[in-house]
Amino acid sequence: MRITVPATSANVGPGFDSVGVALSKYLTIEIKEPSDKWFIKHDLGDIPSDESNLLIATALHIKSDIQPHVIEMTSDIPLARGLGSSSSVIVAGIELANQLGHLEMTADEKLAIATEIEGHPDNVAPAIFGNLVIASFVNDKVNQIVAEFPTCSFIAFIPSYELKTSDSRGVLPLELSYKEAVAASSIANVAIAGLLSGNLEVAGAAIEGDRFHEVYRQSLVKEFLPIKTLAKEMGAYATYLSGAGPTIMVLAEQDKAANMKSAIEALKFDGECFILEVDREGVRVE
């Protein structure tokens, strides 16, 4: 059995902790033979191979008496880069429990558990449903809308350094004034309306107008402003920090993506650049 979970890009500008889109990088786990104890084969660096791994810990949180198995884990989702690496493992762990425990959970039930573990739905929701997901988590209740992201390419520049979410959250203000909150919310409303109506010009301007987090986090990612300036000159719809960063995401027409990728690479920043597409399926089992 194979479980595959897509990467995710959260916030998409002003959709702070509530908006995310599934993208074409993947975590895959293959469930091998039963065993006396859990063992995860991987080459993903310094992460546990036993039941303390987030994958198994998540599954056992849901159903503690699952038969242990040997599992092979592979992933091209980089760690601590703002592409939902931990969320993909949580979603895979929930699906692992669902399959081995014969739980027959609905997608909504999976989302409720994932949000409880992660604390907010912006990454876990698109990892489960695919596509663009707008979600809220208020009074321990999750609500979500799944929609098609308008046709475009995502050009992702992934810096070579990590940026932990805790550090990225540390630069955010504890509160906003009422006036500022209203302004920030109105920008977010226009961004979502633009995406849902397929108007990427309007959506892009609103995405770049975020006042919830990017204005505070930009200084943590030195590559952000040069790439944003270059992308704008080349006709991109928008440039935003993916999740808590440091990955920088550029939205552009598909026929401009290759040239934009080459131009970003010509800046010679330390990192990798990829052209990604929207994943329309979310978590799947084969």
Side-chain angles (χ1 to χ4, degrees):
M1 183 189 303
R2 179 186 292 114
I3 298 170
T4 303
V5 186
T8 51
S9 179
N11 300 331
V12 194
F16 189 54
D17 279 1
S18 60
V19 176
V21 58
L23 295 175
S24 55
K25 279 186 171 292
Y26 297 95
L27 166 77
T28 300
I29 66 166
E30 290 198 35
I31 304 166
K32 300 294 188 178
E33 67 274 11
S35 177
D36 293 335
K37 59 183 180 179
W38 293 100
F39 179 69
I40 302 176
K41 300 177 181 178
H42 68 82
D43 58 0
L44 301 175
D46 189 24
I47 65 171
S49 296
D50 58 13
E51 64 183 34
S52 65
N53 186 291
L54 179 60
L55 174 77
I56 308 304
T58 299
L60 295 179
H61 170 74
I62 297 165
K63 187 169 174 56
S64 60
D65 60 349
I66 302 173
Q67 165 70 49
H69 282 70
V70 173
I71 290 174
E72 288 188 6
M73 175 188 286
T74 58
S75 179
D76 61 359
I77 306 173
L79 299 176
R81 299 295 200 280
L83 287 169
S85 58
S86 63
S87 294
S88 68
V89 176
I90 289 169
V91 170
I94 293 170
E95 193 59 57
L96 179 65
N98 187 47
Q99 296 297 323
L100 294 184
H102 308 289
L103 302 179
E104 298 185 358
M105 285 190 286
T106 66
D108 286 348
E109 289 170 336
K110 296 172 193 174
L111 177 58
I113 294 168
T115 303
E116 175 194 348
I117 295 170
E118 182 76 344
H120 37 83
D122 54 351
N123 282 116
V124 293
I128 292 169
F129 291 98
N131 281 304
L132 169 70
V133 185
I134 302 100
S136 64
F137 182 47
V138 179
N139 297 327
D140 296 324
K141 180 172 176 56
V142 185
N143 288 294
Q144 80 280 345
I145 295 291
V146 183
E148 295 284 319
F149 202 98
T151 300
C152 68
S153 286
F154 290 71
I155 301 97
F157 176 76
I158 306 174
S160 60
Y161 57 87
E162 295 184 0
L163 181 56
K164 289 185 166 49
T165 301
S166 56
D167 294 337
S168 194
R169 284 189 178 269
V171 300
L172 300 179
L174 296 177
E175 58 186 30
L176 297 177
S177 70
Y178 188 83
K179 180 179 180 181
E180 182 67 9
V182 169
S185 178
S186 68
I187 292 168
N189 293 342
V190 172
I192 296 305
L195 291 175
L196 294 181
S197 65
N199 191 330
L200 278 168
E201 286 81 7
V202 169
I207 287 167
E208 290 194 342
D210 167 60
R211 294 163 79 161
F212 284 121
H213 74 108
E214 242 175 50
V215 64
Y216 308 104
R217 288 171 162 170
Q218 287 180 17
S219 62
L220 300 177
V221 183
K222 64 181 184 298
E223 302 89 350
F224 182 78
L225 284 178
I227 289 177
K228 181 178 180 180
T229 300
L230 173 66
K232 181 65 69 177
E233 291 172 352
M234 296 184 70
Y237 292 121
T239 301
Y240 68 91
L241 278 179
S242 183
T247 292
I248 299 158
M249 199 68 71
V250 177
L251 302 181
E253 295 174 59
Q254 291 177 322
D255 61 0
K256 294 180 180 178
N259 286 341
M260 210 164 286
K261 176 179 182 288
S262 296
I264 291 170
E265 289 172 334
L267 294 174
K268 301 295 185 182
F269 289 132
D270 187 9
E272 294 184 279
C273 199
F274 299 90
I275 298 173
L276 305 177
E277 305 298 333
V278 175
D279 177 277
R280 309 284 181 185
E281 294 184 63
V283 62
R284 53 259 206 189
V285 180
E286 302 169 82

